[in-house]
Amino acid sequence: TRDKLVPAATAEAFKAKMAEAGVRCDVRLFENAGHPLYSYQKGESPLRQQTLEAADEFLSSLGF
């Protein structure tokens, strides 16, 4: 929610446009997280755990 490159409002607007087009688009906002999320790949940051959990939830929802 603190991403200065892609503001949360931009992500939500994109999601709405995809919904209008009938395309699935999941948006997961992380409170006080900046850009990019890949910076949370290492370490024990709570954002790292949240990112991994969100990715797992998304992939599981696809039936893999």
Side-chain angles (χ1 to χ4, degrees):
T1 57
R2 289 180 39 196
D3 190 335
K4 294 180 181 173
L5 184 61
V6 182
T10 300
E12 293 290 1
F14 180 80
K15 178 181 178 177
K17 289 289 187 184
M18 293 298 97
E20 289 175 19
V23 177
R24 178 182 176 177
C25 178
D26 296 4
V27 172
R28 181 77 173 263
L29 300 176
F30 294 89
E31 197 65 34
N32 295 316
H35 190 97
L37 277 178
Y38 69 76
S39 65
Y40 305 121
Q41 290 178 347
K42 297 179 182 177
E44 296 304 319
S45 164
L47 287 171
R48 179 181 187 273
Q49 188 61 35
Q50 290 175 23
T51 302
L52 292 174
E53 289 172 6
D56 186 54
E57 288 172 16
F58 172 73
L59 292 173
S60 293
S61 77
L62 298 176
F64 292 107

